[in-house]
Amino acid sequence: MPLPNPVYYPPFNITRTSHVVLTSRDLEASREFYERVVGLVLSDRDADTLYFRGLEEVCHHSLVIKRRDATECEAIGMRVLTEEELEKAAHFFKGKGLPASWIEVPHQGRTLSVRDPAGTPVHFCATMTTKPRLYTEFELFKGGAAMRFDHYQVPVTDVQAQTDFYAEMGFRISEYMALDEKLIATFMFRKPGTQDIVFLENPGPRLHHFAYTVADAHSILRACDIAGSMGYGDAVERGPGRHGPCGVLFVYLRDPDGHRVELFCDHYQLIDIEVEPVGWDVRKPGLSIRWGLPPQECWFTEATHFTGVPVAELEGKRGPLMSLERYLAEKALAKAGS
Amino acid sequence: MPLPNPVYYPPFNITRTSHVVLTSRDLEASREFYERVVGLVLSDRDADTLYFRGLEEVCHHSLVIKRRDATECEAIGMRVLTEEELEKAAHFFKGKGLPASWIEVPHQGRTLSVRDPAGTPVHFCATMTTKPRLYTEFELFKGGAAMRFDHYQVPVTDVQAQTDFYAEMGFRISEYMALDEKLIATFMFRKPGTQDIVFLENPGPRLHHFAYTVADAHSILRACDIAGSMGYGDAVERGPGRHGPCGVLFVYLRDPDGHRVELFCDHYQLIDIEVEPVGWDVRKPGLSIRWGLPPQECWFTEATHFTGVPVAELEGKRGPLMSLERYLAEKALAKAGS
Amino acid sequence: MPLPNPVYYPPFNITRTSHVVLTSRDLEASREFYERVVGLVLSDRDADTLYFRGLEEVCHHSLVIKRRDATECEAIGMRVLTEEELEKAAHFFKGKGLPASWIEVPHQGRTLSVRDPAGTPVHFCATMTTKPRLYTEFELFKGGAAMRFDHYQVPVTDVQAQTDFYAEMGFRISEYMALDEKLIATFMFRKPGTQDIVFLENPGPRLHHFAYTVADAHSILRACDIAGSMGYGDAVERGPGRHGPCGVLFVYLRDPDGHRVELFCDHYQLIDIEVEPVGWDVRKPGLSIRWGLPPQECWFTEATHFTGVPVAELEGKRGPLMSLERYLAEKALAKAGS
Amino acid sequence: MPLPNPVYYPPFNITRTSHVVLTSRDLEASREFYERVVGLVLSDRDADTLYFRGLEEVCHHSLVIKRRDATECEAIGMRVLTEEELEKAAHFFKGKGLPASWIEVPHQGRTLSVRDPAGTPVHFCATMTTKPRLYTEFELFKGGAAMRFDHYQVPVTDVQAQTDFYAEMGFRISEYMALDEKLIATFMFRKPGTQDIVFLENPGPRLHHFAYTVADAHSILRACDIAGSMGYGDAVERGPGRHGPCGVLFVYLRDPDGHRVELFCDHYQLIDIEVEPVGWDVRKPGLSIRWGLPPQECWFTEATHFTGVPVAELEGKRGPLMSLERYLAEKALAKAGS
């Protein structure tokens, strides 16, 4: 299983993953959820669109939600350093024979809309309108007090191909999971955290979740507590817990439309080139989950579809990562047998 | 369903629940677990006994673990204010025709050993040997840094009878659960927290769990993290979460012998007499569990037996509180049907 | 220096210190400060009075603020267990030849107004009107999210006499400070914390501060952060820090009228009778202050006067506890001399 | 006052500031302090050198302490992306007529030693030996559990010149302080935090402090608590508090040799180019200090000298930032006058 070589001088300079564009059947429910449970700030709204940002963010939006009859993701967003890099990006995608066109997006500078080889719709821009940074306006903090957009997970059927392509664009691997010499998950970064984008072997491309950083464990528990007291207790799909790769403390929430958002803290910084990617053998139990119960099966199977993008199915069955249902069944079996 | 009247001038003055005496098949494993994961301090040990206390405690022990071939609880312990109250306690139990005898217990003052009407073995004493209070010796803090013994839960088949008896001894009800006018759980206190002893309708008497306070949410997560990194990840049986009654943030851990210990924070103070007990209707979903997943079935069914005390079974089946297995099955059914 | 013997069967049963009644020149400023910085809940208000309680409290008020031209304290409040104990209290004070009269106080049961031997006005009652307990209404949490009233400090000129009197009423000593065999501070408790009332040698009687518990360190820092962002940064008079006696993590804030309120966490439980009072030798530097800088001189000298109660001055000068001004002067001197 | 234009395509790619090399009169005292109070990990030691790294760090060292009779800083360290960038760095410094030579440093790749125009000794390297990342080895966490090296402050007499030079190397300004159109402090970054290096108008060049990130407020308080219980209470020179620029929660500690180390959390991420530098007017009180007391005068005046580098003095007196001594004097004066 060859990990792609890191590319230190990529064809264009992506600085970070920056936003997602979702659709919702009920904007009022979305607003309530993201403002009160997640703790985002509403930067702007028009009749059919909500624009949110984290408390720490000055860029106009990191989460856009549009009113639709469907519950989908229109695109994931990335930042490049300058307008010059945008031009290079267009050149790169066109050179690969991949779709790439310039679009107008409110509150963003010139935006390049592309498809990656798996079909994932990606928007690149170099600037956004700015808004005040509210990270010391403590009286505005609500719920999890989400600070900033950090990353997203995109399930794909061919993790190796997707990883190779993103490596060519300068993404490096912080951690990965393999099974019998086959890549089944990669955590890739451009900014100095552990991940900007995560690929997991599953039907795709889809948007599994997007993630915001929070200040500390307290914020994660407060988000859960607020969810519980608002009657959104069921929204807490997985966690709080700590997962093996990247070692983060996390909680996964489902929003009123079923989109999945992660709040997390405690990841590490990764910049230096002497650091080798960390590999996880998914056959070893207890490695990828440090404590607590495995995720429900739905955490593995449910994800948001990209608008107009067909979902490729896996050949064979879902991978070896343990689900809660299987865990309980195996435990009951072991007990019956003993 | 009549709640017993509070007794403000009880026949003798129990000040708090104070300790449990457990047995273990492997003292070294016990020691490692309670010192490193829970964060207790070893006050003393002899060839076959470990004596632990919380970081905040000056009394000699709140957890005693004896080497045995069986995994049991020998007794739960309570404190009375003075030696004079001990005499009154003996008088009270003998007057009820219940077993009550004086025993010698190392590191404790004169000790009265009794059985309550359900058969639960209880030890009363007024004093213990003292040890240094280590709550500001921060370098000694490990794992959950458990501060002090707080309460235990004793499942019994007749919650009403047990509650009436303990009320007569001066225990007051902070919160309770009822089903169709039948008491199925009571949280009873002597010291000004929410609970010294909890009764839940289930086969009993058994020791379901005992609980230590911790300083904050951080301590609860640290206990889990240490458990995980020591390979005890499976010990995290339920939580971290927040349950409805008493509103505490909790985690339940299973020790190497299967005894269940709770770490929790965020309970409230209850002293004043104008405060009415809080009732929970167990039929209403989402009330008793605020967020996250319900406990595994084993949380309801497994508990430690008292040495030499037969366990009465429930007439009919286990109560209506939702288990994780049932939750997942109902969810799968609903999905299949939709 | 004789510490009074603990009285386990006192003449009447005080259960805890419960409230203070202050006066303010500006009720709106008071309301803003206590709601947004301290995080209290406004239980009620009329044209000239604000009634606050902590998030955890069901009793109607623990802080009453009345509009006046002066900035004073009308009385400190205590709870007794039952109405019967109130009668015993009246009997006790009258037997001592001390003032004791029945008064009507809104939202309280029958109230006994007394003066202690130092002249401190104290109100006793057995019940209050109740209000909802809001400790799990997380969306209402503001600033320090103060949970419950805990204690107050009353400077007096004769700490020994005051301590002896309160010991007779059943208060026990958790910790104390002495100088050359003279008591200069006592921390006394009825409920099982470390303190309900603190006496410090200084001109008095006055109200030095009253204190609320908070959930954790995070709450203390949040109170400071909110104070800072509201322009109340100067209100943070001392701390956050940890002081030696009782080992608590604290911050002292000055409200808009100059009344001093403490927010703290991490104290310990004290119930058992085998525990000896902890003594501090105030001559030993670094003992009473664990880290950080000593309090400003104003922390020692400024306190709220009781309405109509003359303040006795100390014979000789203020005691030996180190102030910030003296610390900096001594440090400058040492540096100049070296 | 012209802020230098940001340079997005700098002459060589500095990725972050990475380490400091200090000298100490007592290596054992240093070791105790950095291991137990700050919570660093000892990566290696030889007879006369200690190498420390943060819990999150895989690079071999971020703090090097050498035994000497003097208490100095030998150099500050920075990382460049690749060996190729090192060559470009050498070319850049030589082109400026500044000292630049290749040196051998244990556990580092090829290292370039330079002087900046102010005379500050800087070491650049592209790689170090790696060690295990210990950020999830929770049982190893001690004191403040310092995670990773973040930045340092270098006082200089001409902040404008220093800022212009570092801007040319690609450092951008996140925040700055000005007085009458004169730059008196700049916070400059390469990695996406708020600062890699800070310049403050003061005699220099010297090393004012170096800083490690910690996970949360809890870690900052734990460092103080451990310092206090080890008898290092005086080491807590300033804070915990929150300062205006960058909004971080911080504490400044003095190590046994008097070197100053900061632990902090809650800074923000800064990558995007549309974000304007934040300016602070140092004449406005309360802006740069959000709550609590100003720093002691020694925080402004004391700093570590660079080995063999003369310190230029300021023309005129120290700047306008408020010290604790002045604050208390002005307060006493105001009180006397009122």
Side-chain angles (χ1 to χ4, degrees), chain B residues 179-214:
Chain B
L179 176 69
D180 299 334
E181 295 300 300
K182 182 186 176 196
L183 268 185
I184 65 161
T186 49
F187 298 76
M188 304 191 78
F189 69 99
R190 282 292 302 165
K191 69 174 176 300
T194 54
Q195 61 220 65
D196 277 289
I197 190 164
V198 178
F199 300 115
L200 181 66
E201 187 185 84
N202 251 330
R206 292 178 297 165
L207 178 70
H208 181 270
H209 72 269
F210 57 100
Y212 280 88
T213 62
V214 296

Short mmCIF file of all heavy atoms in Angstrom, two decimals, chain B residues 179-214:
data_model
loop_
_atom_site.label_atom_id
_atom_site.label_comp_id
_atom_site.label_asym_id
_atom_site.label_seq_id
_atom_site.Cartn_x
_atom_site.Cartn_y
_atom_site.Cartn_z
N LEU B 179 -44.18 4.96 38.36
CA LEU B 179 -44.87 4.41 37.20
C LEU B 179 -46.27 4.03 37.66
O LEU B 179 -46.42 3.17 38.54
CB LEU B 179 -44.12 3.17 36.69
CG LEU B 179 -44.78 2.42 35.53
CD1 LEU B 179 -44.72 3.23 34.25
CD2 LEU B 179 -44.10 1.07 35.34
N ASP B 180 -47.25 4.69 37.10
CA ASP B 180 -48.63 4.37 37.49
C ASP B 180 -48.77 4.36 39.01
O ASP B 180 -49.25 3.37 39.59
CB ASP B 180 -49.04 3.01 36.92
CG ASP B 180 -48.99 2.99 35.40
OD1 ASP B 180 -49.12 4.08 34.80
OD2 ASP B 180 -48.81 1.91 34.84
N GLU B 181 -48.36 5.42 39.64
CA GLU B 181 -48.53 5.57 41.09
C GLU B 181 -47.72 4.57 41.91
O GLU B 181 -47.99 4.38 43.09
CB GLU B 181 -50.01 5.46 41.48
CG GLU B 181 -50.86 6.58 40.93
CD GLU B 181 -50.38 7.95 41.43
OE1 GLU B 181 -50.39 8.14 42.66
OE2 GLU B 181 -49.98 8.80 40.61
N LYS B 182 -46.76 3.93 41.28
CA LYS B 182 -45.91 3.00 42.03
C LYS B 182 -44.49 3.56 42.02
O LYS B 182 -43.95 3.92 40.97
CB LYS B 182 -45.92 1.63 41.34
CG LYS B 182 -45.12 0.56 42.05
CD LYS B 182 -45.10 -0.69 41.18
CE LYS B 182 -44.24 -1.79 41.76
NZ LYS B 182 -43.95 -2.81 40.74
N LEU B 183 -43.88 3.64 43.21
CA LEU B 183 -42.51 4.13 43.31
C LEU B 183 -41.57 3.12 42.66
O LEU B 183 -41.58 1.94 43.04
CB LEU B 183 -42.09 4.26 44.78
CG LEU B 183 -42.30 5.59 45.50
CD1 LEU B 183 -41.69 5.49 46.90
CD2 LEU B 183 -41.67 6.74 44.73
N ILE B 184 -40.75 3.56 41.73
CA ILE B 184 -39.75 2.62 41.20
C ILE B 184 -38.32 3.07 41.47
O ILE B 184 -37.38 2.31 41.28
CB ILE B 184 -39.95 2.28 39.71
CG1 ILE B 184 -39.74 3.50 38.84
CG2 ILE B 184 -41.32 1.65 39.46
CD1 ILE B 184 -39.49 3.09 37.40
N ALA B 185 -38.16 4.30 41.90
CA ALA B 185 -36.82 4.74 42.31
C ALA B 185 -36.94 5.90 43.28
O ALA B 185 -37.80 6.78 43.10
CB ALA B 185 -35.98 5.15 41.11
N THR B 186 -36.10 5.89 44.31
CA THR B 186 -36.04 7.06 45.21
C THR B 186 -34.58 7.42 45.45
O THR B 186 -33.73 6.55 45.61
CB THR B 186 -36.74 6.80 46.56
OG1 THR B 186 -36.29 5.56 47.10
CG2 THR B 186 -38.24 6.78 46.40
N PHE B 187 -34.34 8.72 45.45
CA PHE B 187 -33.03 9.28 45.77
C PHE B 187 -33.14 9.90 47.15
O PHE B 187 -33.87 10.87 47.31
CB PHE B 187 -32.64 10.34 44.72
CG PHE B 187 -32.52 9.78 43.33
CD1 PHE B 187 -33.66 9.47 42.58
CD2 PHE B 187 -31.28 9.54 42.77
CE1 PHE B 187 -33.55 8.95 41.30
CE2 PHE B 187 -31.16 9.02 41.49
CZ PHE B 187 -32.30 8.70 40.75
N MET B 188 -32.45 9.34 48.14
CA MET B 188 -32.63 9.77 49.52
C MET B 188 -31.32 10.31 50.10
O MET B 188 -30.25 9.81 49.81
CB MET B 188 -33.14 8.59 50.36
CG MET B 188 -34.42 7.98 49.81
SD MET B 188 -35.21 6.80 50.96
CE MET B 188 -36.01 7.92 52.10
N PHE B 189 -31.45 11.34 50.94
CA PHE B 189 -30.24 12.00 51.45
C PHE B 189 -30.32 12.27 52.95
O PHE B 189 -31.40 12.45 53.50
CB PHE B 189 -30.01 13.33 50.72
CG PHE B 189 -31.04 14.38 51.05
CD1 PHE B 189 -30.77 15.37 51.99
CD2 PHE B 189 -32.28 14.37 50.42
CE1 PHE B 189 -31.72 16.34 52.29
CE2 PHE B 189 -33.23 15.34 50.72
CZ PHE B 189 -32.95 16.32 51.66
N ARG B 190 -29.17 12.29 53.58
CA ARG B 190 -29.01 12.81 54.94
C ARG B 190 -28.13 14.05 54.89
O ARG B 190 -28.51 15.10 55.37
CB ARG B 190 -28.37 11.75 55.86
CG ARG B 190 -29.33 10.68 56.32
CD ARG B 190 -30.38 11.24 57.28
NE ARG B 190 -29.77 11.86 58.47
CZ ARG B 190 -30.41 12.66 59.31
NH1 ARG B 190 -31.70 12.94 59.12
NH2 ARG B 190 -29.80 13.17 60.35
N LYS B 191 -26.93 13.94 54.31
CA LYS B 191 -26.09 15.14 54.15
C LYS B 191 -26.73 16.00 53.05
O LYS B 191 -27.55 15.51 52.27
CB LYS B 191 -24.66 14.74 53.78
CG LYS B 191 -24.51 14.14 52.38
CD LYS B 191 -23.05 13.91 52.02
CE LYS B 191 -22.95 13.23 50.66
NZ LYS B 191 -23.63 11.92 50.58
N PRO B 192 -26.32 17.25 52.96
CA PRO B 192 -27.05 18.17 52.07
C PRO B 192 -26.76 18.06 50.57
O PRO B 192 -26.70 19.06 49.90
CB PRO B 192 -26.62 19.55 52.60
CG PRO B 192 -26.10 19.32 53.95
CD PRO B 192 -25.46 17.98 53.89
N GLY B 193 -26.54 16.87 50.05
CA GLY B 193 -26.49 16.71 48.60
C GLY B 193 -27.85 16.24 48.15
O GLY B 193 -28.86 16.50 48.79
N THR B 194 -27.89 15.54 47.04
CA THR B 194 -29.18 15.03 46.58
C THR B 194 -29.40 13.58 46.96
O THR B 194 -30.50 13.07 46.89
CB THR B 194 -29.28 15.15 45.05
OG1 THR B 194 -28.13 14.50 44.48
CG2 THR B 194 -29.29 16.60 44.62
N GLN B 195 -28.33 12.89 47.34
CA GLN B 195 -28.51 11.47 47.58
C GLN B 195 -27.38 10.91 48.45
O GLN B 195 -26.22 11.25 48.26
CB GLN B 195 -28.56 10.69 46.27
CG GLN B 195 -27.31 10.78 45.42
CD GLN B 195 -27.61 10.90 43.95
OE1 GLN B 195 -28.19 11.88 43.50
NE2 GLN B 195 -27.22 9.91 43.19
N ASP B 196 -27.79 10.09 49.41
CA ASP B 196 -26.83 9.24 50.11
C ASP B 196 -27.04 7.80 49.69
O ASP B 196 -26.11 7.01 49.62
CB ASP B 196 -27.00 9.39 51.63
CG ASP B 196 -26.27 10.60 52.18
OD1 ASP B 196 -25.03 10.57 52.21
OD2 ASP B 196 -26.92 11.60 52.54
N ILE B 197 -28.29 7.47 49.44
CA ILE B 197 -28.62 6.12 49.01
C ILE B 197 -29.76 6.18 48.01
O ILE B 197 -30.65 7.03 48.12
CB ILE B 197 -28.97 5.22 50.23
CG1 ILE B 197 -29.07 3.74 49.83
CG2 ILE B 197 -30.24 5.68 50.94
CD1 ILE B 197 -29.02 2.77 51.03
N VAL B 198 -29.68 5.36 46.99
CA VAL B 198 -30.69 5.33 45.94
C VAL B 198 -31.27 3.93 45.87
O VAL B 198 -30.53 2.95 45.92
CB VAL B 198 -30.07 5.69 44.56
CG1 VAL B 198 -31.11 5.62 43.46
CG2 VAL B 198 -29.41 7.05 44.62
N PHE B 199 -32.59 3.85 45.81
CA PHE B 199 -33.26 2.57 45.66
C PHE B 199 -33.91 2.52 44.29
O PHE B 199 -34.57 3.47 43.87
CB PHE B 199 -34.32 2.38 46.75
CG PHE B 199 -33.74 2.43 48.14
CD1 PHE B 199 -34.08 3.45 49.01
CD2 PHE B 199 -32.82 1.47 48.56
CE1 PHE B 199 -33.53 3.52 50.29
CE2 PHE B 199 -32.26 1.52 49.83
CZ PHE B 199 -32.62 2.55 50.71
N LEU B 200 -33.68 1.42 43.58
CA LEU B 200 -34.27 1.24 42.25
C LEU B 200 -34.93 -0.13 42.22
O LEU B 200 -34.37 -1.10 42.75
CB LEU B 200 -33.19 1.34 41.17
CG LEU B 200 -33.64 1.19 39.71
CD1 LEU B 200 -34.54 2.35 39.28
CD2 LEU B 200 -32.44 1.12 38.77
N GLU B 201 -36.11 -0.20 41.66
CA GLU B 201 -36.83 -1.47 41.59
C GLU B 201 -36.10 -2.45 40.69
O GLU B 201 -36.00 -2.23 39.47
CB GLU B 201 -38.24 -1.24 41.05
CG GLU B 201 -39.10 -2.50 41.13
CD GLU B 201 -40.45 -2.31 40.48
OE1 GLU B 201 -40.53 -2.45 39.24
OE2 GLU B 201 -41.40 -1.98 41.19
N ASN B 202 -35.60 -3.50 41.27
CA ASN B 202 -34.83 -4.52 40.56
C ASN B 202 -34.57 -5.66 41.53
O ASN B 202 -34.75 -5.48 42.74
CB ASN B 202 -33.50 -3.93 40.05
CG ASN B 202 -33.49 -3.76 38.54
OD1 ASN B 202 -34.14 -4.52 37.82
ND2 ASN B 202 -32.77 -2.77 38.06
N PRO B 203 -34.17 -6.82 41.05
CA PRO B 203 -33.84 -7.89 42.00
C PRO B 203 -32.83 -7.39 43.03
O PRO B 203 -31.87 -6.69 42.68
CB PRO B 203 -33.24 -8.97 41.09
CG PRO B 203 -33.87 -8.75 39.76
CD PRO B 203 -34.05 -7.27 39.65
N GLY B 204 -33.03 -7.72 44.30
CA GLY B 204 -32.13 -7.19 45.32
C GLY B 204 -32.39 -7.83 46.66
O GLY B 204 -33.16 -8.79 46.76
N PRO B 205 -31.73 -7.37 47.69
CA PRO B 205 -30.82 -6.23 47.65
C PRO B 205 -29.48 -6.63 47.01
O PRO B 205 -28.97 -7.72 47.24
CB PRO B 205 -30.61 -5.90 49.12
CG PRO B 205 -30.75 -7.22 49.82
CD PRO B 205 -31.80 -7.97 49.04
N ARG B 206 -28.96 -5.73 46.20
CA ARG B 206 -27.62 -5.85 45.66
C ARG B 206 -26.99 -4.45 45.67
O ARG B 206 -27.67 -3.47 45.94
CB ARG B 206 -27.65 -6.39 44.21
CG ARG B 206 -28.14 -7.85 44.10
CD ARG B 206 -28.21 -8.30 42.65
NE ARG B 206 -29.18 -7.50 41.91
CZ ARG B 206 -29.26 -7.46 40.57
NH1 ARG B 206 -28.41 -8.15 39.82
NH2 ARG B 206 -30.17 -6.72 39.98
N LEU B 207 -25.70 -4.40 45.42
CA LEU B 207 -25.04 -3.10 45.30
C LEU B 207 -24.90 -2.80 43.80
O LEU B 207 -24.09 -3.43 43.12
CB LEU B 207 -23.66 -3.12 45.95
CG LEU B 207 -22.88 -1.80 45.82
CD1 LEU B 207 -23.51 -0.71 46.66
CD2 LEU B 207 -21.41 -1.98 46.19
N HIS B 208 -25.67 -1.84 43.31
CA HIS B 208 -25.60 -1.52 41.89
C HIS B 208 -24.33 -0.72 41.58
O HIS B 208 -23.58 -1.02 40.66
CB HIS B 208 -26.82 -0.71 41.47
CG HIS B 208 -26.83 -0.36 40.01
ND1 HIS B 208 -26.26 0.79 39.52
CD2 HIS B 208 -27.31 -1.04 38.94
CE1 HIS B 208 -26.40 0.82 38.20
NE2 HIS B 208 -27.03 -0.28 37.82
N HIS B 209 -24.10 0.32 42.35
CA HIS B 209 -22.87 1.09 42.21
C HIS B 209 -22.65 1.93 43.45
O HIS B 209 -23.56 2.14 44.24
CB HIS B 209 -22.90 2.00 40.97
CG HIS B 209 -23.83 3.17 41.10
ND1 HIS B 209 -25.15 3.13 40.70
CD2 HIS B 209 -23.64 4.43 41.58
CE1 HIS B 209 -25.72 4.30 40.92
NE2 HIS B 209 -24.83 5.11 41.46
N PHE B 210 -21.43 2.40 43.60
CA PHE B 210 -21.12 3.42 44.59
C PHE B 210 -20.47 4.56 43.85
O PHE B 210 -19.95 4.38 42.75
CB PHE B 210 -20.22 2.86 45.70
CG PHE B 210 -18.93 2.28 45.22
CD1 PHE B 210 -17.74 3.00 45.27
CD2 PHE B 210 -18.89 0.99 44.69
CE1 PHE B 210 -16.54 2.45 44.81
CE2 PHE B 210 -17.69 0.44 44.22
CZ PHE B 210 -16.52 1.17 44.28
N ALA B 211 -20.53 5.78 44.44
CA ALA B 211 -20.17 6.96 43.67
C ALA B 211 -19.25 7.89 44.44
O ALA B 211 -19.41 8.09 45.64
CB ALA B 211 -21.44 7.72 43.28
N TYR B 212 -18.30 8.43 43.71
CA TYR B 212 -17.42 9.46 44.24
C TYR B 212 -17.66 10.77 43.50
O TYR B 212 -17.89 10.77 42.28
CB TYR B 212 -15.95 9.06 44.05
CG TYR B 212 -15.44 8.09 45.08
CD1 TYR B 212 -15.58 6.72 44.90
CD2 TYR B 212 -14.83 8.54 46.25
CE1 TYR B 212 -15.10 5.82 45.86
CE2 TYR B 212 -14.35 7.65 47.19
CZ TYR B 212 -14.49 6.30 47.00
OH TYR B 212 -14.03 5.43 47.95
N THR B 213 -17.57 11.87 44.22
CA THR B 213 -17.60 13.18 43.56
C THR B 213 -16.24 13.45 42.93
O THR B 213 -15.21 13.00 43.42
CB THR B 213 -17.87 14.32 44.56
OG1 THR B 213 -16.82 14.37 45.51
CG2 THR B 213 -19.19 14.12 45.27
N VAL B 214 -16.27 14.21 41.84
CA VAL B 214 -15.03 14.74 41.25
C VAL B 214 -15.19 16.25 41.12
O VAL B 214 -16.29 16.78 41.26
CB VAL B 214 -14.74 14.12 39.86
CG1 VAL B 214 -14.50 12.63 39.98
CG2 VAL B 214 -15.86 14.42 38.87
#
